Amino acid sequence: MAIIEFGEDFRWGVATAAYQIEGGVTEGGRGPSIWDTFSHTPGKVLNGDNGDVACDSYHRFDEDIRLMKELGVDVYRFSVSWPRIFPNGKGEVNQEGLDYYHRLVDELLANGIEPMCTLYHWDLPQALQDRGGWNNRETVEAFVAYAELMFREFSGKIHSWLTINEPWCVSFLSNYIGAHAPGNQDLGLAVTISHHLLLAHGKAVAKFREMKTGGKIGFAPNVTWLEAYSSSGEDMEACRRGMGWMIDWFLDPVFNGKYPAFMVEWFADHGATLAIEEGDMEWIQQPVDFIGINYYESNVARHNKDSGMLQVEGIDMGYKKTDIGWYINAEGFYKVLTFIADKYGNIPIYITENGICINDGVEKGTVDDQRRIDYLKAHVTAVARSIKSGVNLKGYITWSLLDNFEWAEGYSKRFGLVHVNYRTLERTKKESFYWYQKLVNNHWLEV
Ligand SMILES: CCOCCOc1ccc(-c2cn(C[C@@H]3NC[C@@H](O)[C@H]3O)nn2)cc1
Protein backbone atom coordinates (compact mmCIF):
# COMPACT_ATOMS: atom_id res chain seq x y z
CA MET A 1 0.00 0.00 0.00
CA ALA A 2 1.20 3.52 -0.78
CA ILE A 3 0.43 6.63 1.23
CA ILE A 4 -0.83 9.66 -0.75
CA GLU A 5 -0.50 12.87 1.27
CA PHE A 6 -2.03 16.35 1.01
CA GLY A 7 -0.78 19.53 2.68
CA GLU A 8 -2.56 20.82 5.77
CA ASP A 9 -3.65 23.89 3.78
CA PHE A 10 -5.34 21.79 1.08
CA ARG A 11 -9.09 22.25 1.46
CA TRP A 12 -11.81 19.62 1.32
CA GLY A 13 -15.46 20.16 0.59
CA VAL A 14 -18.81 18.95 -0.65
CA ALA A 15 -21.04 20.50 -3.32
CA THR A 16 -24.74 20.82 -4.07
CA ALA A 17 -26.96 23.13 -6.13
CA ALA A 18 -30.20 24.93 -5.30
CA TYR A 19 -32.63 23.36 -7.76
CA GLN A 20 -31.23 19.90 -7.10
CA ILE A 21 -31.68 19.87 -3.31
CA GLU A 22 -33.85 22.73 -2.00
CA GLY A 23 -37.44 22.00 -2.99
CA GLY A 24 -39.78 24.64 -1.55
CA VAL A 25 -40.21 25.95 -5.08
CA THR A 26 -43.35 27.98 -4.23
CA GLU A 27 -42.25 29.00 -0.72
CA GLY A 28 -40.55 32.08 0.61
CA GLY A 29 -41.51 34.27 -2.31
CA ARG A 30 -39.54 32.26 -4.87
CA GLY A 31 -40.43 32.80 -8.51
CA PRO A 32 -40.40 30.05 -11.17
CA SER A 33 -37.21 29.04 -12.97
CA ILE A 34 -36.63 27.42 -16.35
CA TRP A 35 -36.08 24.13 -14.57
CA ASP A 36 -39.54 24.35 -12.96
CA THR A 37 -40.94 24.79 -16.48
CA PHE A 38 -38.73 22.11 -18.05
CA SER A 39 -39.25 19.47 -15.35
CA HIS A 40 -43.02 19.95 -15.51
CA THR A 41 -43.02 19.52 -19.29
CA PRO A 42 -43.94 15.90 -20.08
CA GLY A 43 -41.11 13.87 -21.55
CA LYS A 44 -38.24 16.14 -20.51
CA VAL A 45 -37.21 14.46 -17.26
CA LEU A 46 -36.99 10.71 -16.63
CA ASN A 47 -40.03 9.35 -14.77
CA GLY A 48 -41.61 12.84 -14.86
CA ASP A 49 -39.47 13.83 -11.85
CA ASN A 50 -39.17 17.49 -10.80
CA GLY A 51 -37.49 19.60 -8.14
CA ASP A 52 -40.66 20.62 -6.31
CA VAL A 53 -39.50 18.83 -3.12
CA ALA A 54 -36.07 17.37 -4.02
CA CYS A 55 -34.16 16.79 -0.75
CA ASP A 56 -36.27 19.45 1.00
CA SER A 57 -33.06 21.19 2.01
CA TYR A 58 -35.03 24.44 2.02
CA HIS A 59 -36.40 23.16 5.36
CA ARG A 60 -33.66 20.69 6.31
CA PHE A 61 -30.37 22.53 5.73
CA ASP A 62 -29.61 22.35 9.46
CA GLU A 63 -29.49 18.57 9.14
CA ASP A 64 -27.34 18.85 6.02
CA ILE A 65 -24.89 21.10 7.87
CA ARG A 66 -24.75 18.64 10.77
CA LEU A 67 -23.68 16.01 8.24
CA MET A 68 -21.01 18.36 6.85
CA LYS A 69 -19.79 19.06 10.38
CA GLU A 70 -19.58 15.32 11.04
CA LEU A 71 -17.61 14.91 7.80
CA GLY A 72 -15.22 17.65 8.92
CA VAL A 73 -15.20 19.50 5.58
CA ASP A 74 -13.66 22.95 5.25
CA VAL A 75 -15.91 24.22 2.43
CA TYR A 76 -19.54 23.87 1.36
CA ARG A 77 -20.13 24.77 -2.27
CA PHE A 78 -23.82 25.62 -2.71
CA SER A 79 -25.73 27.68 -5.24
CA VAL A 80 -28.22 30.49 -4.80
CA SER A 81 -31.56 30.23 -6.58
CA TRP A 82 -31.68 33.47 -8.59
CA PRO A 83 -35.54 33.41 -8.63
CA ARG A 84 -35.56 33.28 -4.81
CA ILE A 85 -33.77 36.65 -4.83
CA PHE A 86 -35.41 38.22 -7.89
CA PRO A 87 -38.70 36.32 -8.49
CA ASN A 88 -39.04 38.15 -11.82
CA GLY A 89 -35.36 37.95 -12.62
CA LYS A 90 -34.81 41.64 -11.92
CA GLY A 91 -36.47 44.60 -10.25
CA GLU A 92 -38.18 43.77 -6.96
CA VAL A 93 -35.96 41.97 -4.43
CA ASN A 94 -37.47 39.14 -2.37
CA GLN A 95 -36.29 39.72 1.21
CA GLU A 96 -37.47 36.25 2.28
CA GLY A 97 -35.07 34.78 -0.24
CA LEU A 98 -32.14 36.77 1.13
CA ASP A 99 -33.16 35.84 4.68
CA TYR A 100 -33.10 32.13 3.76
CA TYR A 101 -29.55 32.30 2.46
CA HIS A 102 -28.45 34.37 5.46
CA ARG A 103 -29.75 31.58 7.73
CA LEU A 104 -27.90 28.98 5.66
CA VAL A 105 -24.62 30.95 5.55
CA ASP A 106 -24.80 31.91 9.25
CA GLU A 107 -25.24 28.25 10.21
CA LEU A 108 -22.28 27.27 8.04
CA LEU A 109 -20.08 29.94 9.62
CA ALA A 110 -21.26 28.95 13.12
CA ASN A 111 -20.00 25.44 12.32
CA GLY A 112 -16.65 26.61 10.97
CA ILE A 113 -17.53 25.71 7.37
CA GLU A 114 -16.61 28.18 4.61
CA PRO A 115 -19.47 28.97 2.19
CA MET A 116 -18.47 28.89 -1.50
CA CYS A 117 -21.35 30.42 -3.44
CA THR A 118 -22.24 29.62 -7.05
CA LEU A 119 -24.40 32.46 -8.36
CA TYR A 120 -25.72 30.64 -11.44
CA HIS A 121 -26.29 26.89 -11.35
CA TRP A 122 -28.81 26.66 -14.21
CA ASP A 123 -32.06 27.86 -12.59
CA LEU A 124 -32.65 30.99 -14.69
CA PRO A 125 -35.78 32.94 -13.64
CA GLN A 126 -38.53 31.99 -16.10
CA ALA A 127 -39.46 35.67 -16.42
CA LEU A 128 -36.08 36.30 -18.09
CA GLN A 129 -36.45 33.24 -20.32
CA ASP A 130 -39.78 34.67 -21.45
CA ARG A 131 -37.78 37.64 -22.77
CA GLY A 132 -35.21 35.48 -24.59
CA GLY A 133 -33.17 34.24 -21.65
CA TRP A 134 -29.41 34.08 -22.20
CA ASN A 135 -29.96 34.89 -25.88
CA ASN A 136 -30.96 38.40 -24.79
CA ARG A 137 -28.20 40.76 -23.62
CA GLU A 138 -30.67 42.14 -21.07
CA THR A 139 -30.14 38.89 -19.16
CA VAL A 140 -26.42 39.69 -18.92
CA GLU A 141 -27.26 42.99 -17.21
CA ALA A 142 -29.84 41.29 -14.98
CA PHE A 143 -27.17 38.76 -13.89
CA VAL A 144 -24.75 41.57 -13.02
CA ALA A 145 -27.45 43.30 -10.96
CA TYR A 146 -28.17 40.01 -9.16
CA ALA A 147 -24.45 39.43 -8.54
CA GLU A 148 -24.00 43.00 -7.26
CA LEU A 149 -26.83 42.55 -4.77
CA MET A 150 -25.37 39.24 -3.54
CA PHE A 151 -21.84 40.67 -3.23
CA ARG A 152 -23.18 43.58 -1.16
CA GLU A 153 -25.65 41.53 0.92
CA PHE A 154 -23.12 38.82 1.85
CA SER A 155 -20.01 40.97 2.08
CA GLY A 156 -18.01 39.77 5.07
CA LYS A 157 -19.81 36.40 5.17
CA ILE A 158 -19.07 34.83 1.74
CA HIS A 159 -15.49 35.14 0.52
CA SER A 160 -15.49 32.63 -2.35
CA TRP A 161 -17.71 33.19 -5.35
CA LEU A 162 -18.31 31.31 -8.61
CA THR A 163 -20.20 33.16 -11.31
CA ILE A 164 -21.38 30.48 -13.78
CA ASN A 165 -21.43 26.70 -13.32
CA GLU A 166 -20.55 24.64 -16.39
CA PRO A 167 -21.17 27.21 -19.17
CA TRP A 168 -20.88 24.37 -21.73
CA CYS A 169 -23.94 22.70 -20.17
CA VAL A 170 -25.84 26.03 -20.00
CA SER A 171 -25.10 26.87 -23.66
CA PHE A 172 -24.50 23.74 -25.76
CA LEU A 173 -26.11 20.95 -23.70
CA SER A 174 -29.20 23.10 -23.08
CA ASN A 175 -29.55 24.96 -26.39
CA TYR A 176 -27.88 22.76 -29.05
CA ILE A 177 -28.12 19.18 -27.79
CA GLY A 178 -31.33 20.16 -25.98
CA ALA A 179 -31.06 17.65 -23.12
CA HIS A 180 -31.36 20.34 -20.39
CA ALA A 181 -33.57 23.41 -19.85
CA PRO A 182 -34.80 25.24 -21.86
CA GLY A 183 -34.23 22.43 -24.41
CA ASN A 184 -33.46 24.32 -27.64
CA GLN A 185 -31.59 22.61 -30.50
CA ASP A 186 -29.92 25.41 -32.42
CA LEU A 187 -26.11 25.65 -32.75
CA GLY A 188 -26.15 29.34 -33.60
CA LEU A 189 -28.30 30.10 -30.57
CA ALA A 190 -26.00 28.04 -28.35
CA VAL A 191 -22.89 29.83 -29.62
CA THR A 192 -24.50 33.23 -28.96
CA ILE A 193 -25.55 32.09 -25.49
CA SER A 194 -22.02 30.88 -24.72
CA HIS A 195 -20.76 34.38 -25.53
CA HIS A 196 -23.40 36.07 -23.37
CA LEU A 197 -22.57 33.73 -20.48
CA LEU A 198 -18.89 34.70 -20.67
CA LEU A 199 -19.91 38.36 -20.90
CA ALA A 200 -22.09 37.97 -17.80
CA HIS A 201 -19.20 36.28 -16.02
CA GLY A 202 -16.70 39.01 -16.94
CA LYS A 203 -19.03 41.89 -16.08
CA ALA A 204 -19.82 40.30 -12.71
CA VAL A 205 -16.09 39.93 -12.00
CA ALA A 206 -15.57 43.60 -12.92
CA LYS A 207 -18.43 44.60 -10.57
CA PHE A 208 -16.87 42.44 -7.82
CA ARG A 209 -13.55 44.26 -8.23
CA GLU A 210 -15.24 47.68 -8.29
CA MET A 211 -17.14 46.96 -5.06
CA LYS A 212 -13.98 45.90 -3.23
CA THR A 213 -15.97 43.68 -0.86
CA GLY A 214 -12.97 41.33 -0.49
CA GLY A 215 -12.76 37.62 -1.27
CA LYS A 216 -12.09 35.64 -4.43
CA ILE A 217 -14.06 34.99 -7.57
CA GLY A 218 -13.92 32.49 -10.43
CA PHE A 219 -16.12 30.30 -12.61
CA ALA A 220 -16.57 26.53 -12.94
CA PRO A 221 -16.24 24.99 -16.41
CA ASN A 222 -16.78 21.26 -16.86
CA VAL A 223 -13.94 19.50 -18.63
CA THR A 224 -13.07 16.13 -20.14
CA TRP A 225 -9.98 14.45 -21.58
CA LEU A 226 -10.11 12.80 -25.01
CA GLU A 227 -7.20 10.47 -25.80
CA ALA A 228 -6.66 10.11 -29.56
CA TYR A 229 -7.53 6.67 -30.95
CA SER A 230 -4.45 6.93 -33.18
CA SER A 231 -1.60 9.36 -33.86
CA SER A 232 -3.20 10.23 -37.20
CA GLY A 233 -3.74 13.96 -37.75
CA GLU A 234 -7.48 13.52 -38.19
CA ASP A 235 -7.88 11.64 -34.90
CA MET A 236 -5.68 14.10 -33.00
CA GLU A 237 -7.62 17.05 -34.47
CA ALA A 238 -10.92 15.38 -33.59
CA CYS A 239 -9.86 15.16 -29.96
CA ARG A 240 -8.72 18.80 -29.98
CA ARG A 241 -12.17 19.75 -31.27
CA GLY A 242 -13.94 17.66 -28.62
CA MET A 243 -11.88 19.22 -25.81
CA GLY A 244 -11.86 22.61 -27.55
CA TRP A 245 -15.65 22.63 -27.36
CA MET A 246 -15.69 22.20 -23.58
CA ILE A 247 -12.41 23.75 -22.47
CA ASP A 248 -10.71 26.14 -24.92
CA TRP A 249 -14.00 27.77 -26.02
CA PHE A 250 -14.57 29.00 -22.46
CA LEU A 251 -11.06 29.37 -21.05
CA ASP A 252 -9.32 31.05 -24.03
CA PRO A 253 -11.60 34.15 -23.88
CA VAL A 254 -11.18 34.47 -20.10
CA PHE A 255 -7.42 33.87 -20.02
CA ASN A 256 -6.32 34.99 -23.51
CA GLY A 257 -9.06 37.42 -24.57
CA LYS A 258 -10.10 35.58 -27.74
CA TYR A 259 -11.99 32.48 -28.86
CA PRO A 260 -9.95 29.57 -30.23
CA ALA A 261 -9.72 30.20 -33.97
CA PHE A 262 -10.06 26.52 -34.89
CA MET A 263 -13.40 26.35 -33.09
CA VAL A 264 -14.65 29.71 -34.45
CA GLU A 265 -13.95 28.37 -37.94
CA TRP A 266 -15.58 25.00 -37.25
CA PHE A 267 -18.74 26.60 -35.88
CA ALA A 268 -18.85 29.06 -38.81
CA ASP A 269 -18.61 26.13 -41.23
CA HIS A 270 -21.73 24.83 -39.49
CA GLY A 271 -23.59 28.12 -39.77
CA ALA A 272 -22.93 29.41 -36.27
CA THR A 273 -21.17 32.78 -36.02
CA LEU A 274 -20.29 34.93 -33.03
CA ALA A 275 -21.73 38.46 -32.74
CA ILE A 276 -18.95 40.07 -30.69
CA GLU A 277 -19.61 43.71 -29.86
CA GLU A 278 -17.01 46.38 -29.17
CA GLY A 279 -15.59 45.89 -25.69
CA ASP A 280 -17.04 42.41 -25.13
CA MET A 281 -13.70 40.61 -25.03
CA GLU A 282 -12.25 43.17 -22.62
CA TRP A 283 -15.12 42.51 -20.24
CA ILE A 284 -14.74 38.73 -20.61
CA GLN A 285 -11.03 38.66 -19.81
CA GLN A 286 -11.34 40.28 -16.39
CA PRO A 287 -8.74 38.40 -14.33
CA VAL A 288 -10.17 35.72 -12.03
CA ASP A 289 -8.68 34.69 -8.67
CA PHE A 290 -9.20 30.97 -9.20
CA ILE A 291 -10.95 28.53 -11.49
CA GLY A 292 -13.30 25.74 -10.50
CA ILE A 293 -12.85 22.54 -12.51
CA ASN A 294 -15.69 19.98 -12.76
CA TYR A 295 -14.51 16.57 -14.00
CA TYR A 296 -16.37 13.28 -14.27
CA GLU A 297 -15.13 11.22 -17.21
CA SER A 298 -12.74 10.95 -20.16
CA ASN A 299 -12.48 8.62 -23.15
CA VAL A 300 -10.68 7.56 -26.31
CA ALA A 301 -11.99 9.26 -29.44
CA ARG A 302 -11.35 9.50 -33.18
CA HIS A 303 -12.51 11.34 -36.29
CA ASN A 304 -15.68 10.14 -37.97
CA LYS A 305 -17.25 12.47 -40.55
CA ASP A 306 -20.67 10.96 -39.79
CA SER A 307 -20.39 11.43 -36.03
CA GLY A 308 -22.29 14.63 -35.30
CA MET A 309 -21.45 18.29 -35.76
CA LEU A 310 -17.92 17.90 -34.37
CA GLN A 311 -17.22 14.63 -36.25
CA VAL A 312 -15.83 13.10 -33.05
CA GLU A 313 -16.59 9.47 -32.22
CA GLY A 314 -16.03 7.99 -28.75
CA ILE A 315 -14.63 4.46 -28.71
CA ASP A 316 -15.61 1.98 -26.01
CA MET A 317 -12.23 0.81 -24.70
CA GLY A 318 -13.82 -1.36 -22.06
CA TYR A 319 -13.30 1.12 -19.21
CA LYS A 320 -15.61 0.42 -16.28
CA LYS A 321 -18.74 2.58 -16.39
CA THR A 322 -20.72 4.37 -13.70
CA ASP A 323 -24.42 3.79 -13.16
CA ILE A 324 -25.12 6.78 -15.42
CA GLY A 325 -23.01 5.23 -18.17
CA TRP A 326 -19.96 7.51 -17.92
CA TYR A 327 -16.48 6.00 -18.25
CA ILE A 328 -14.23 5.77 -15.19
CA ASN A 329 -10.74 7.00 -16.09
CA ALA A 330 -8.74 8.80 -13.42
CA GLU A 331 -5.73 9.02 -15.77
CA GLY A 332 -7.77 11.43 -17.87
CA PHE A 333 -8.32 13.61 -14.80
CA TYR A 334 -4.55 13.88 -14.30
CA LYS A 335 -4.01 14.62 -17.99
CA VAL A 336 -6.67 17.32 -18.26
CA LEU A 337 -5.46 19.08 -15.09
CA THR A 338 -1.88 19.21 -16.34
CA PHE A 339 -3.15 20.30 -19.79
CA ILE A 340 -5.07 23.21 -18.25
CA ALA A 341 -2.15 24.27 -16.04
CA ASP A 342 0.27 24.09 -19.01
CA LYS A 343 -2.01 26.05 -21.35
CA TYR A 344 -3.51 28.68 -19.06
CA GLY A 345 -0.73 29.38 -16.59
CA ASN A 346 -0.76 28.23 -13.05
CA ILE A 347 -3.97 29.86 -11.93
CA PRO A 348 -5.18 28.53 -8.56
CA ILE A 349 -7.60 25.66 -9.19
CA TYR A 350 -10.31 24.16 -6.98
CA ILE A 351 -11.88 20.91 -8.08
CA THR A 352 -15.45 22.13 -7.64
CA GLU A 353 -17.09 18.89 -8.79
CA ASN A 354 -15.87 15.31 -9.02
CA GLY A 355 -17.93 12.29 -8.12
CA ILE A 356 -19.67 9.21 -9.40
CA CYS A 357 -23.18 7.97 -9.99
CA ILE A 358 -23.62 4.75 -8.05
CA ASN A 359 -27.25 3.82 -7.43
CA ASP A 360 -26.76 1.35 -4.57
CA GLY A 361 -29.60 1.41 -2.06
CA VAL A 362 -29.80 1.19 1.72
CA GLU A 363 -29.31 -2.27 3.24
CA LYS A 364 -29.11 -2.87 7.00
CA GLY A 365 -28.91 0.85 7.69
CA THR A 366 -26.05 1.67 5.32
CA VAL A 367 -25.06 1.78 1.65
CA ASP A 368 -22.03 -0.32 0.76
CA ASP A 369 -20.90 1.94 -2.11
CA GLN A 370 -17.39 0.50 -2.48
CA ARG A 371 -17.41 1.49 -6.16
CA ARG A 372 -17.75 5.14 -5.11
CA ILE A 373 -14.85 4.72 -2.68
CA ASP A 374 -12.75 3.19 -5.45
CA TYR A 375 -13.60 6.06 -7.84
CA LEU A 376 -12.88 8.76 -5.26
CA LYS A 377 -9.63 7.07 -4.23
CA ALA A 378 -8.40 6.96 -7.84
CA HIS A 379 -9.45 10.53 -8.61
CA VAL A 380 -8.09 12.04 -5.41
CA THR A 381 -4.82 10.26 -6.24
CA ALA A 382 -4.92 11.92 -9.67
CA VAL A 383 -5.27 15.24 -7.85
CA ALA A 384 -2.20 14.44 -5.72
CA ARG A 385 -0.25 13.49 -8.87
CA SER A 386 -1.24 16.82 -10.46
CA ILE A 387 -0.07 18.76 -7.41
CA LYS A 388 3.27 16.90 -7.47
CA SER A 389 3.51 17.80 -11.17
CA GLY A 390 3.16 21.49 -10.33
CA VAL A 391 -0.58 22.12 -10.81
CA ASN A 392 -1.70 24.86 -8.40
CA LEU A 393 -4.52 22.87 -6.85
CA LYS A 394 -6.03 24.41 -3.70
CA GLY A 395 -8.86 22.09 -2.85
CA TYR A 396 -11.15 19.22 -3.76
CA ILE A 397 -14.94 19.51 -3.49
CA THR A 398 -16.81 16.31 -4.25
CA TRP A 399 -20.15 16.08 -6.01
CA SER A 400 -22.22 15.57 -3.96
CA LEU A 401 -23.09 15.68 -0.27
CA LEU A 402 -26.56 14.29 -0.98
CA ASP A 403 -28.26 12.18 -3.61
CA ASN A 404 -30.31 14.76 -5.46
CA PHE A 405 -32.26 15.75 -8.61
CA GLU A 406 -29.83 14.87 -11.41
CA TRP A 407 -31.46 17.08 -14.03
CA ALA A 408 -32.92 15.16 -16.99
CA GLU A 409 -32.15 11.90 -15.17
CA GLY A 410 -34.36 12.96 -12.27
CA TYR A 411 -33.90 11.02 -9.01
CA SER A 412 -32.81 7.83 -10.76
CA LYS A 413 -29.13 8.74 -10.54
CA ARG A 414 -27.42 8.99 -7.16
CA PHE A 415 -24.14 10.96 -6.66
CA GLY A 416 -24.27 11.51 -2.90
CA LEU A 417 -22.07 10.52 0.02
CA VAL A 418 -25.43 10.49 1.79
CA HIS A 419 -28.41 8.48 0.52
CA VAL A 420 -31.75 10.29 0.39
CA ASN A 421 -35.07 8.46 0.63
CA TYR A 422 -37.22 10.72 -1.56
CA ARG A 423 -40.43 9.46 0.06
CA THR A 424 -39.40 10.07 3.68
CA LEU A 425 -36.49 12.46 2.99
CA GLU A 426 -34.44 10.42 5.46
CA ARG A 427 -30.71 10.86 5.04
CA THR A 428 -28.47 7.74 5.39
CA LYS A 429 -24.68 8.00 5.49
CA LYS A 430 -23.03 5.69 2.93
CA GLU A 431 -19.72 3.87 3.47
CA SER A 432 -18.15 6.52 1.21
CA PHE A 433 -19.20 9.16 3.76
CA TYR A 434 -16.93 7.55 6.35
CA TRP A 435 -14.14 7.04 3.81
CA TYR A 436 -14.25 10.72 2.83
CA GLN A 437 -14.47 11.76 6.51
CA LYS A 438 -11.20 9.90 7.21
CA LEU A 439 -9.49 11.51 4.18
CA VAL A 440 -10.71 15.00 5.07
CA ASN A 441 -9.48 14.70 8.65
CA ASN A 442 -6.20 12.86 7.93
CA HIS A 443 -5.17 14.71 4.73
CA TRP A 444 -3.73 11.39 3.50
CA LEU A 445 -5.03 8.12 2.12
CA GLU A 446 -3.72 4.64 1.43
CA VAL A 447 -3.90 3.33 -2.16
C1 LIG B 1 -24.27 13.89 -26.47
C2 LIG B 1 -25.61 13.74 -25.75
O1 LIG B 1 -25.42 14.05 -24.36
C3 LIG B 1 -26.62 14.06 -23.61
C4 LIG B 1 -26.35 14.28 -22.15
O2 LIG B 1 -25.10 15.00 -21.99
C5 LIG B 1 -24.75 15.37 -20.73
C6 LIG B 1 -23.47 15.89 -20.58
C7 LIG B 1 -23.05 16.28 -19.32
C8 LIG B 1 -23.91 16.13 -18.24
C9 LIG B 1 -23.43 16.51 -16.91
C10 LIG B 1 -24.05 16.25 -15.72
N1 LIG B 1 -23.18 16.67 -14.79
C11 LIG B 1 -23.32 16.55 -13.35
C12 LIG B 1 -23.83 17.88 -12.89
N2 LIG B 1 -22.78 18.89 -12.98
C13 LIG B 1 -23.34 19.98 -12.23
C14 LIG B 1 -24.15 19.36 -11.12
O3 LIG B 1 -25.42 19.94 -11.14
C15 LIG B 1 -24.25 17.87 -11.46
O4 LIG B 1 -25.57 17.41 -11.30
N3 LIG B 1 -22.11 17.20 -15.37
N4 LIG B 1 -22.24 17.08 -16.68
C16 LIG B 1 -25.18 15.61 -18.41
C17 LIG B 1 -25.61 15.23 -19.66
Side-chain angles (χ1 to χ4, degrees), residues 225 227 295 298 328-336 378-379 382 385:
W225 177 261
E227 192 70 32
Y295 173 91
S298 54
I328 298 171
N329 182 355
E331 181 69 15
F333 195 15
Y334 172 67
K335 288 194 172 179
V336 74
H379 287 75
R385 290 177 64 197

Side-chain angles (χ1 to χ4, degrees), residues 120-135:
Y120 188 69
H121 203 125
W122 305 358
D123 44 359
L124 185 73
Q126 183 60 46
L128 294 176
Q129 184 62 37
D130 293 344
R131 299 164 56 86
W134 285 110
N135 190 36

Side-chain angles (χ1 to χ4, degrees), residues 91-123:
E92 187 184 347
V93 176
N94 176 36
Q95 188 58 47
E96 279 190 87
L98 290 173
D99 294 346
Y100 166 67
Y101 289 108
H102 275 296
R103 293 197 300 274
L104 171 66
V105 168
D106 290 348
E107 188 63 18
L108 288 168
L109 295 172
N111 282 277
I113 299 168
E114 181 198 348
M116 177 184 279
C117 177
T118 305
L119 289 167
Y120 188 69
H121 203 125
W122 305 358
D123 44 359

Side-chain angles (χ1 to χ4, degrees), residues 411-426:
Y411 298 105
S412 68
K413 305 297 186 291
R414 294 177 178 271
F415 281 83
L417 298 177
V418 175
H419 179 277
V420 176
N421 178 320
Y422 294 110
R423 184 173 54 77
T424 66
L425 299 166
E426 181 182 11

Side-chain angles (χ1 to χ4, degrees), residues 77-90:
R77 180 190 174 219
F78 67 100
S79 81
V80 167
S81 171
W82 184 347
R84 277 198 195 284
I85 309 303
F86 286 99
N88 298 310
K90 56 185 178 182

